[in-house]
Amino acid sequence: KLPRRKMLLPLVALLSAALLASAAPPTCYSRVLSLSKEITESFKELQTSKTVDSCVETLPRLYLDIHNYCVLAKLRDFVAYPGCDRVVEVNELKEKARSLYTILISYCRRDLVFLTDDCNALEIPVSPPIEHS
């Protein structure tokens, strides 16, 4: 019985730690980071979709980096952009962008540190490094 208990104890500890980690509430930073990635991906999908209205091509670029102070202006510009109001996907994206902006300026204002204010960096997304196998 003793060897079985020795094997079960680490397993129980590991499962408990995993459950506690997944039950932890998201931090402001993690929420903002995940929402910005979600918005950026949705925008990419919208741009490449063949079934969406042609007005999507005129939308301002929406590459987001929450470490760049210019992201606030980028979000404001995107939400205020007058075109494509008839496209449901664009309205949904604007609503997510509005939510991110609100979280950034209200709830997370003191928790975030902007590392740069390079507005040009938000116009041209940085390509992820190519993995060599």
Side-chain angles (χ1 to χ4, degrees):
K1 283 191 170 186
L2 191 57
R4 187 180 287 172
R5 284 187 185 166
K6 284 185 178 180
M7 289 173 50
L8 278 176
L9 188 58
L11 180 61
V12 169
L14 182 64
L15 287 173
S16 296
L19 287 173
L20 286 174
S22 66
T27 63
C28 247
Y29 178 76
S30 65
R31 178 64 184 132
V32 165
L33 188 61
S34 67
L35 186 55
S36 69
K37 287 180 181 179
E38 180 183 329
I39 291 169
T40 300
E41 287 303 312
S42 294
F43 182 74
K44 285 180 191 175
E45 290 172 11
L46 188 63
Q47 289 285 331
T48 58
S49 176
K50 303 289 188 231
T51 59
V52 178
D53 196 287
S54 61
C55 74
V56 171
E57 295 173 7
T58 65
L59 288 171
R61 291 183 187 198
L62 196 58
Y63 168 69
L64 303 177
D65 176 4
I66 62 163
H67 303 104
N68 188 332
Y69 184 75
C70 292
V71 74
L72 297 172
K74 175 67 82 173
L75 289 166
R76 272 193 316 266
D77 291 347
F78 185 79
V79 169
Y81 189 76
C84 288
D85 288 340
R86 65 185 176 276
V87 180
V88 174
E89 294 89 349
V90 172
N91 288 326
E92 290 171 355
L93 199 53
K94 283 184 175 185
E95 194 55 42
K96 285 182 185 179
R98 187 177 291 110
S99 295
L100 178 59
Y101 182 80
T102 301
I103 293 169
L104 283 168
I105 64 166
S106 299
Y107 304 109
C108 298
R109 184 174 36 134
R110 292 188 175 100
D111 296 343
L112 297 176
V113 175
F114 295 108
L115 304 175
T116 182
D117 61 353
D118 181 4
C119 296
N120 289 331
L122 295 179
E123 293 302 316
I124 303 170
V126 177
S127 300
I130 298 172
E131 294 181 23
H132 299 286
S133 50

